[in-house]
Amino acid sequence: MEDKRITKTKRNIKATLTDILQEMPFEKISVAEICRRGDISRITFYAHYEDKYDLAEEIFSDHVQEAYDKYHALQAENNPGNNGFIGYQKLLEALLSLYYDNYAFFSHTTSSENPYLFSAYFNRMYVSVDSYLRRHTFLKPRFSFHQTAAFICNGLFGVIDSCMADHLSEAETRAVLRGMYAVLLNSDMFEK
């Protein structure tokens, strides 16, 4: 278990990066700026992270764990019979909750605004979805696991970006994605 002071310091550093992302792209953010705004020394920063990319990777790891925990909580609460179709729906809900619970961060992980953050996050989600598809055989993809995972992740991020551009609310975006996901899961993309 991590010391409470270390946890607090890391939380401050992560929150500072998220705050700065509201004003400038990731590539323009320096460690010096994170330290200045977070009121920490460079020595403190480097005691925890190699650089800002290492910091971003830890944020992504935290988010993947958060989505994993949310998915399992949703499964336990809403899918005691472990229905595969419901499981896939709960995976979508966990990913959407992750996105909206951390909107200040994820609203700036677009391919146009922050290509590095978008790519790094996309790759994390892609690996997670690919792994999920391989483990949960209720619906077997007609295409390869990695192609299906890429299709799902690109579609998810594309629809979220499109909904943001159309100024849809969170509830509207969730409804659009739930509908699309239900159609996809019931389509010939998957063998029942």
Side-chain angles (χ1 to χ4, degrees), residues 98-115:
L98 174 69
Y99 180 83
Y100 283 108
D101 290 350
N102 299 284
Y103 185 78
F105 182 81
F106 286 118
S107 64
H108 297 284
T109 59
T110 62
S111 59
S112 59
E113 185 179 350
N114 285 301

Side-chain angles (χ1 to χ4, degrees), residues 70-71 74 86-99 132 152 156 160 173-182 185:
K70 178 74 171 181
Y71 166 75
L74 288 168
I86 294 171
Y88 275 84
Q89 291 173 322
K90 296 309 160 202
L91 175 63
L92 175 65
E93 292 301 322
L95 292 173
L96 289 173
S97 291
L98 174 69
Y99 180 83
Y132 184 87
I152 291 171
L156 179 64
I160 288 172
T173 301
R174 284 177 178 266
V176 167
L177 282 163
R178 284 183 191 122
M180 288 180 164
Y181 208 62
L185 292 176

Side-chain angles (χ1 to χ4, degrees), residues 137-149:
T137 57
F138 165 73
L139 296 175
K140 184 177 184 278
R142 290 196 184 270
F143 301 93
S144 72
F145 289 112
H146 68 273
Q147 290 166 343
T148 303

